[in-house]
C-alpha cells in the first residue's frame, strides 16, 4: 500500500481559505468525507475535535497533522489542504500553518495502513518536500511530488536494508568492536517515542531525533510504539550500554527495563520540536537515574553493573541517587526540564481514571434501575408501591436487582482504579477492598452473637469497627470511595518503599503476599475505625442538608449552579465535576432507598432533582447553538451552519461536546450564552421538581423523568435563551 492509495483526488484542496482552527478542521473533515471512507461523518468529526482537545496537532514548521482513529472510519484515508496565507492553528512553534494532512484510521486490528502513515509523517519532516507541496499548481502535481518522494524513500530504505544485510554477514567481532567503541566514546543514546493514537507523532518524533543525532554524530536507536505495536524494540544489551534513554511519549511505556539508567521523560511533541535539546541533555548526562520500585534484586544488580560503563565518563553511579518519579509512565511524566507534573494535576488524573472506569457501571446500572421504576409506574404502582416501588412486579424486580448490583459496583471500581492509577496493579486489590468497605459500611453487630462480658481490646473492636443497632451511619459511600482509592494507592507505594531492601529471595512474594495482605489490613483498619464513621457522619449531614435545601426552596439555586457548570467547559474539569457530583447523588439516593427511605422523601428527591438539572444543563449548549444557526445564519460560517443538524442530535443525546468547536472559535461570546441558557434550564427543572433516576441518555431516558413535560419546557427555554443571546452578542462573520 502506498500514500496514493490513501489520498483520494477529491480530498485535496490546494487553495484553502479558512478563518481559524475550528473552521479548518471542519473543512478537512468535509474533504475526507468526499472520499466515501467515512461511514459516520459527525462521529468522526467529534473524534477529530476531541483529539485536538488533548493537544494541538500543529507540529510547527507550517505543518499540522490532525487525526482520528474511530469506528466511524470505513477504511483508512488521507485528506490534504494547502492554505496559502496560513491559519492560526495553535502550533507548537506559534507560527501559522500552511499544509494540513488529516488522517482517518479505522478502529480495527488490521493495521496495514500504519506503515504508509508513518512514512508520510517522516516525509513531512523534509523541508524541501513540504515546500514543493505548498507550491504545487495542480492536484496532479501535488500527487506526483508525493509519489516521487515516496519512491526515493523506498529506494533509500532498500539500500539501507541491503547494507544492513551485508553488515550482518560480517564476522561477529566487528559488532563487538563497534559496541566497545560506543561504550568508550559514551555516545550511544536510546529513545522511545509514542503518542495515544500512535499514527503520526510517534514516527515524527523518531525521525526528528534520528535526524538531529546524525547531525551531532551520535549513535541513536529509537523504539516506536505506534498503533501497530512496538517496532525496533530496544534490546537488553543496548540498554545496558546506553549512556542515556529519552522517553518522548504521551502514552504508557514499559519503564521497568530502564531501572538504574539515566532517563529523560518528556512529551512526544518535545521529541519533534526539541530534539537537539533532549540529545544535548542526554550526552551531557543531565538526566535523573530512573528507579523502578518493583524491580527485583537481580535487575538492580544488573543495572548497577551496567552503570559502571558510563560512570567512568562522568556519569552518576546508579545506586539510588537522582530524582525519580516512582512509577514511570503510569505515575506521570517528568518534563524535559526535569520537573514533574503538579500535585493538583496528578490528583485530578488519578481521580478521572477512577471516574472513567466507574461511569459504565453508573450509566448501565442507573438506567436499568430507572426502568424498574418506570415499569412499576406504567403498571399503576407508582402511588401504591411504597417501599417496594421498583420491585412490585417480577419484571421490575429483575431490572432493579440487576441494576442495583451494577450500581453497587460503582464505589469499589472508583476506588480500585484510583489506586491502580497511583500504584499500578498492586493497588487494585487494596483499592477494591477499600471501596467495598466504603459502599457497605461497617458490619451490623446484630448479625453476631458476642460472648457476654466482652471487654478490653475485643470490646474496643466491637464498639468501633462494627455498627450497633443505634450506632449511626458508617456507610461512607462515594466520598469514602474517593478517600479509599487514594489511601490504597499510597499505602501500596509505602509498602513498596519499605520492602525495597528485602532479600532478593522474597521478590516473588511481594506482589502476591506482602502487598495485598499488608495493604488490605491497613485499608481495612483505616476505613472501619476512622473514615467510615467520620464520612458516614458527613453523609448523614449531606442528607439532612439536601432535605433542608429542598424544604427551604433553595433546590432551584442548586439546579442553577449545576446547569451552568455543565456549559462552562463542555466536557472539561468543571463539567466533569458537576457530572461526578450528580453520579454521587444517585449513589446517595440508592443508599437511602436501601435504608428504607422512599422516593418521595425530600432528601431522595433532591438527589434526583440534582441529576435532572445536570443533564438538562448539558443538553442546552449544542441545541441552543443549532437553533442560533437557523435563526441567525449570518453569525456563523458555512461550516458551522452545516453542523447544526449534528449539534441537534448531540444535544438530544446529552453530548455537550458538540458545542466545543463554537466555544473554541469564539469563547468570549459563546460560553456566556451557553452558560446562561444551561443555568436557566437547570434552575427551571429544579423549580418544577423534575427528577431523573438515570445518569445519561438524553431524550432516550425521558420516559424515566419525573414531570417530563415541564422538563422539556425547561430544556426548550434554556436553548432558546442561548440562541437569542448568541444572535445579539455574536458579530456577523463578515465583520
Amino acid at each position: 500500500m502506498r500514500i496514493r492509495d490513501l489520498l483520494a483526488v477529491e480530498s485535496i484542496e490546494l487553495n484553502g481559505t479558512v478563518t481559524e482552527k475550528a473552521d479548518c478542521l471542519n473543512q478537512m473533515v468535509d474533504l475526507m468525507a468526499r472520499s466515501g471512507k467515512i461511514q459516520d461523518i459527525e462521529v468522526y468529526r467529534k473524534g477529530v475535535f476531541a483529539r485536538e482537545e488533548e493537544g494541538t496537532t500543529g507540529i510547527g514548521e507550517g505543518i499540522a497533522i490532525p487525526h482520528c482513529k474511530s469506528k466511524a472510519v470505513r477504511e483508512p484515508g488521507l485528506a490534504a489542504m494547502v492554505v496559502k496565507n496560513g491559519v492560526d492553528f495553535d502550533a507548537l512553534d506559534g507560527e501559522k500553518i500552511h499544509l494540513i494532512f488529516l488522517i482517518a484510521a479505522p478502529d480495527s486490528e488490521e493495521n496495514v495502513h500504519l506503515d504508509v502513515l508513518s512514512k508520510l509523517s517522516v516525509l513531512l519532516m523534509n523541508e524541501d518536500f513540504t515546500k514543493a507541496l505548498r507550491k504545487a499548481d495542480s492536484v496532479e502535481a501535488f500527487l506526483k511530488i508525493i509519489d516521487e518522494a515516496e519512491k526515493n524513500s523506498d529506494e533509500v530504505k532498500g539500500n539501507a536494508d541491503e547494507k544492513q544485510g551485508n553488515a550482518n554477514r560480517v564476522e561477529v567481532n566487528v559488532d563487538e568492536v563497534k559496541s566497545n567503541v560506543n561504550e568508550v566514546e559514551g555516545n550511544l543514546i536510546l529513545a522511545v517515542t509514542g503518542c495515544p493514537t500512535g499514527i503520526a507523532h510517534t514516527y515524527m518524533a523518531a525521525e526528528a531525533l534520528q535526524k538531529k543525532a546524525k547531525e551531532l554524530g551520535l549513535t541513536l536507536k529509537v523504539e516506536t510504539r505506534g498503533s501497530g505495536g512496538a517496532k525496533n524494540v530496544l534490546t537488553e544489551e543496548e540498554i545496558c550500554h546506553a549512556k542515556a534513554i529519552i522517553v518522548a511519549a504521551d502514552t504508557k511505556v514499559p519503564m521497568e527495563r530502564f531501572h538504574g539508567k539515566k532517563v529523560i521523560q518528556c512529551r512526544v511533541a518535545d521529541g519533534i520540536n526539541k530534539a537537539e535539546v533532549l540529545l544535548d541533555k542526554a550526552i551531557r548526562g543531565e538526566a535523573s537515574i530512573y528507579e523502578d520500585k518493583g524491580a527485583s534484586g537481580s535487575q538492580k544488580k544488573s543495572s548497577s553493573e551496567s552503570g559502571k560503563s558510563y560512570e567512568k565518563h562522568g556519569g552518576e553511579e546508579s545506586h539510588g541517587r537522582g530524582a525519580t518519579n516512582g512509577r514511570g509512565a503510569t505515575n506521570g511524566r517528568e518534563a524535559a526540564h526535569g520537573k514533574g507534573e503538579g500535585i493538583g494535576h496528578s490528583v485530578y488524573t488519578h481521580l478521572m481514571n477512577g471516574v472513567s472506569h466507574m461511569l459504565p457501571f453508573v450509566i448501565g446500572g442507573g438506567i436499568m434501575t430507572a426502568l424498574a421504576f418506570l415499569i412499576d409506574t406504567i403498571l399503576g404502582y407508582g402511588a401504591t408501591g411504597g417501599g417496594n416501588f421498583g420491585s412490585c412486579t417480577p419484571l421490575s424486580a429483575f431490572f432493579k436487582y440487576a441494576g442495583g448490583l451494577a450500581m453497587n459496583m460503582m464505589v469499589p471500581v472508583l476506588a480500585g482504579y484510583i489506586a491502580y492509577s497511583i500504584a499500578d496493579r498492586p493497588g487494585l486489590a487494596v483499592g477494591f477492598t477499600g471501596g467495598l468497605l466504603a459502599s457497605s459500611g461497617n458490619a451490623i453487630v446484630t448479625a453476631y452473637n458476642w460472648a457476654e462480658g466482652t471487654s478490653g481490646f475485643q470490646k474496643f473492636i466491637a464498639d468501633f469497627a462494627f455498627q450497633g443497632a443505634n450506632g449511626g451511619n458508617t456507610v461512607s459511600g462515594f466520598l469514602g470511595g474517593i478517600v479509599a482509592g487514594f489511601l490504597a494507592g499510597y499505602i501500596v507505594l509505602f509498602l513498596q518503599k519499605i520492602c525495597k531492601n528485602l532479600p532478593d529471595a522474597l521478590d516473588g512474594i511481594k506482589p502476591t503476599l506482602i502487598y495485598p495482605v499488608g495493604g488490605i489490613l491497613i485499608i481495612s483498619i483505616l476505613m472501619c475505625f476512622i473514615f467510615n464513621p467520620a464520612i458516614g457522619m458527613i453523609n448523614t449531614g449531606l442528607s439532612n442538608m439536601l432535605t433542608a435545601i429542598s424544604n427551604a426552596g433553595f433546590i432551584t439555586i442548586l439546579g442553577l449552579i449545576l446547569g451552568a457548570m455543565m456549559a462552562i467547559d463542555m466536557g472539561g474539569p468543571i463539567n466533569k465535576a458537576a457530572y461526578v457530583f450528580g453520579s454521587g447523588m444517585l449513589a446517595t439516593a440508592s443508599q437511602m432507598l436501601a435504608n428504607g427511605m422512599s422516593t418521595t422523601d425530600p432528601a431522595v428527591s433532591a438527589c434526583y432533582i440534582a441529576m435532572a438539572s445536570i443533564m438538562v444543563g448539558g443538553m442546552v449548549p449544542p441545541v441552543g447553538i443549532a437553533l442560533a444557526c437557523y435563526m441567525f445564519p449570518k453569525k456563523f460560517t458555512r461550516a458551522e451552519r452545516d453542523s447544526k443538524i449534528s449539534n441537534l442530535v448531540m444535544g438530544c443525546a446529552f453530548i455537550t461536546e458538540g458545542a466545543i468547536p463554537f466555544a473554541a472559535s469564539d469563547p468570549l461570546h459563546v460560553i456566556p450564552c451557553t452558560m446562561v441558557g444551561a443555568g436557566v434550564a437547570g434552575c427551571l427543572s429544579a423549580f418544577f421538581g423534575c427528577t431523573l433516576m438515570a445518569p445519561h441518555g438524553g431524550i432516550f431516558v425521558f420516559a424515566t423523568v419525573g414531570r417530563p413535560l415541564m422538563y422539556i419546557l425547561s430544556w426548550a427555554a434554556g436553548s432558546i435563551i442561548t440562541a437569542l443571546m448568541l444572535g445579539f452578542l455574536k458579530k456577523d462573520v463578515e465583520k
Side-chain angles (χ1 to χ4, degrees):
M1 182 179 286
R2 302 181 63 80
I3 295 175
R4 179 66 178 81
D5 298 326
L6 302 182
L7 184 58
V9 172
E10 57 269 23
S11 294
I12 301 174
E13 174 58 66
L14 299 183
N15 296 292
T17 53
V18 294
T19 56
E20 37 76 36
K21 183 176 182 177
D23 183 28
C24 178
L25 290 175
N26 278 315
Q27 289 195 37
M28 290 302 299
V29 171
D30 293 338
L31 275 176
M32 182 69 76
R34 292 179 189 174
S35 66
K37 295 178 178 179
I38 309 298
Q39 56 189 2
D40 191 325
I41 298 173
E42 296 311 322
V43 171
Y44 176 70
R45 190 189 308 274
K46 180 186 174 186
V48 171
F49 276 94
R51 168 60 187 88
E52 206 63 35
E53 286 295 310
E54 296 175 4
T56 182
T57 55
I59 62 173
E61 302 295 334
I63 303 166
I65 312 180
H67 49 271
C68 173
K69 184 176 182 179
S70 169
K71 291 182 179 179
V73 179
R74 182 177 289 110
E75 57 181 292
L78 288 169
M81 179 186 289
V82 177
V83 183
K84 303 291 187 184
N85 297 325
V87 59
D88 186 0
F89 205 88
D90 299 326
L92 295 172
D93 60 2
E95 300 297 324
K96 288 187 174 182
I97 294 298
H98 297 272
L99 182 62
I100 306 105
F101 275 91
L102 174 64
I103 298 172
D107 189 7
S108 65
E109 295 182 359
E110 297 180 0
N111 292 313
V112 292
H113 59 288
L114 292 180
D115 288 339
V116 180
L117 297 179
S118 64
K119 187 188 301 181
L120 173 64
S121 302
V122 170
L123 288 176
L124 289 172
M125 301 300 292
N126 187 319
E127 188 176 350
D128 293 334
F129 173 68
T130 56
K131 281 184 178 179
L133 289 178
R134 290 199 293 267
K135 293 179 180 179
D137 55 5
S138 67
V139 172
E140 291 74 16
F142 189 89
L143 290 171
K144 184 178 180 181
I145 293 167
I146 292 176
D147 286 337
E148 290 179 352
E150 185 175 18
K151 181 180 178 181
N152 293 335
S153 175
D154 290 341
E155 289 178 355
V156 170
K157 185 178 184 299
N159 293 334
D161 290 341
E162 183 178 352
K163 291 179 180 179
Q164 182 62 46
N166 292 333
N168 289 337
R169 289 190 288 270
V170 178
E171 295 182 4
V172 179
N173 62 351
V174 174
D175 291 330
E176 293 177 351
V177 170
K178 182 179 178 182
S179 178
N180 291 335
V181 169
N182 284 330
E183 187 174 346
V184 171
E185 293 180 353
N187 68 348
L188 175 59
I189 308 297
L190 302 179
V192 183
T193 62
C195 66
T197 311
I199 295 176
H201 290 63
T202 298
Y203 305 102
M204 299 185 76
E207 175 68 10
L209 288 167
Q210 288 170 333
K211 184 177 179 181
K212 188 57 63 175
K214 185 176 181 180
E215 292 178 8
L216 298 175
L218 302 176
T219 303
L220 174 73
K221 178 178 178 180
V222 184
E223 173 183 307
T224 56
R225 305 187 69 83
S227 292
K231 301 291 179 63
N232 207 29
V233 177
L234 307 178
T235 67
E236 185 176 341
E237 182 180 0
E238 289 165 339
I239 295 172
C240 176
H241 291 295
K243 180 176 180 64
I245 298 134
I246 299 168
V247 179
D250 294 334
T251 187
K252 188 172 181 178
V253 171
M255 297 293 293
E256 61 277 359
R257 52 189 168 153
F258 302 143
H259 177 80
K261 302 297 296 185
K262 289 195 172 185
V263 177
I264 300 170
Q265 291 179 266
C266 61
R267 299 176 304 151
V268 69
D270 291 337
I272 299 173
N273 298 283
K274 299 179 181 179
E276 185 170 1
V277 174
L278 294 172
L279 289 168
D280 183 63
K281 285 171 67 71
I283 204 65
R284 290 175 178 270
E286 298 176 1
S288 300
I289 302 296
Y290 177 75
E291 182 181 352
D292 177 46
K293 295 296 185 180
S296 66
S298 60
Q299 286 175 313
K300 294 174 183 177
K301 182 179 179 182
S302 174
S303 300
S304 297
E305 290 174 350
S306 65
K308 295 174 183 177
S309 64
Y310 62 81
E311 187 180 0
K312 298 175 183 178
H313 306 288
E316 285 187 2
E317 184 179 356
S318 59
H319 294 291
R321 290 208 299 259
T324 66
N325 66 354
R327 283 187 59 249
T330 308
N331 203 27
R333 301 175 195 87
E334 180 185 289
H337 49 70
K339 295 181 181 179
E341 59 184 4
I343 294 176
H345 182 265
S346 178
V347 170
Y348 176 77
T349 300
H350 299 322
L351 177 61
M352 285 301 107
N353 187 65
V355 169
S356 65
H357 285 88
M358 172 199 78
L359 285 180
F361 293 90
V362 179
I363 294 170
I367 290 177
M368 288 191 70
T369 302
L371 289 175
F373 293 120
L374 175 64
I375 291 169
D376 274 4
T377 301
I378 293 173
L379 295 178
Y381 293 100
T384 62
N388 293 324
F389 184 47
S391 56
C392 295
T393 66
L395 181 60
S396 61
F398 164 75
F399 275 95
K400 188 177 181 183
Y401 172 71
L405 286 178
M407 285 289 289
N408 289 340
M409 288 296 295
M410 165 185 162
V411 174
V413 169
L414 171 70
Y417 280 96
I418 290 174
Y420 174 78
S421 179
I422 296 169
D424 218 322
R425 289 182 63 184
L428 276 175
V430 184
F432 273 114
T433 302
L436 283 168
L437 289 168
S439 62
S440 302
N442 296 2
I444 305 229
V445 72
T446 52
Y448 299 89
N449 295 316
W450 307 119
E452 293 185 8
T454 300
S455 61
F457 185 63
Q458 295 281 12
K459 183 69 165 60
F460 170 76
I461 295 175
D463 289 343
F464 287 90
F466 294 86
Q467 177 184 353
N470 299 305
N473 180 24
T474 61
V475 175
S476 55
F478 185 77
L479 294 177
I482 295 174
V483 172
F486 281 98
L487 281 175
Y490 289 110
I491 285 169
V492 172
L493 290 184
F494 169 73
L495 291 173
Q496 290 175 340
K497 184 174 182 179
I498 63 175
C499 294
K500 178 180 175 181
N501 296 319
L502 289 178
D504 295 351
L506 297 179
D507 285 345
I509 67 169
K510 289 180 185 177
T512 58
L513 179 63
I514 297 176
Y515 300 154
V517 173
I520 290 174
L521 174 62
I522 295 172
I523 194 70
S524 300
I525 292 172
L526 292 175
M527 293 304 294
C528 288
F529 287 88
I530 300 175
F531 292 103
N532 271 354
I535 300 176
M537 293 175 62
I538 294 173
N539 282 337
T540 299
L542 176 62
S543 175
N544 295 335
M545 182 189 70
L546 289 172
T547 301
I549 287 175
S550 180
N551 291 336
F554 292 147
I555 194 71
T556 54
I557 297 176
L558 180 63
L560 171 70
I561 295 171
L562 292 174
M565 288 176 68
M566 292 298 292
I568 294 176
D569 55 358
M570 295 115 176
I574 299 175
N575 173 287
K576 284 187 174 69
Y579 186 74
V580 169
F581 174 80
S583 301
M585 288 297 96
L586 289 184
T588 300
S590 178
Q591 188 58 48
M592 291 177 183
L593 294 175
N595 290 335
M597 299 177 69
S598 71
T599 55
T600 57
D601 285 325
V604 178
S605 296
C607 294
Y608 293 139
I609 288 171
M611 190 67 241
S613 296
I614 288 167
M615 191 169 83
V616 77
M619 296 171 69
V620 162
V623 174
I625 289 171
L627 291 177
C629 288
Y630 279 108
M631 297 165 64
F632 309 101
K634 292 183 180 180
K635 307 289 182 179
F636 303 93
T637 65
R638 179 180 177 181
E640 288 174 333
R641 294 195 301 271
D642 288 344
S643 70
K644 56 183 178 287
I645 299 297
S646 63
N647 266 277
L648 278 174
V649 173
M650 284 190 277
C652 291
F654 184 34
I655 302 174
T656 318
E657 287 82 355
I660 287 177
F662 296 84
S665 63
D666 189 7
L668 294 180
H669 293 112
V670 173
I671 292 177
C673 298
T674 57
M675 189 172 67
V676 170
V680 169
C683 181
L684 289 175
S685 172
F687 175 76
F688 293 136
C690 300
T691 58
L692 177 63
M693 299 175 182
H696 208 286
I699 62 172
F700 302 102
V701 294
F702 268 20
T704 69
V705 171
R707 302 186 179 179
L709 293 180
M710 304 311 294
Y711 197 60
I712 293 172
L713 176 62
S714 303
W715 181 27
S719 300
I720 291 171
I721 288 172
T722 291
L724 292 175
M725 288 185 66
L726 286 169
F728 284 111
L729 296 181
K730 273 183 69 68
K731 297 179 181 179
D732 292 350
V733 290
E734 292 80 9
K735 299 179 182 179

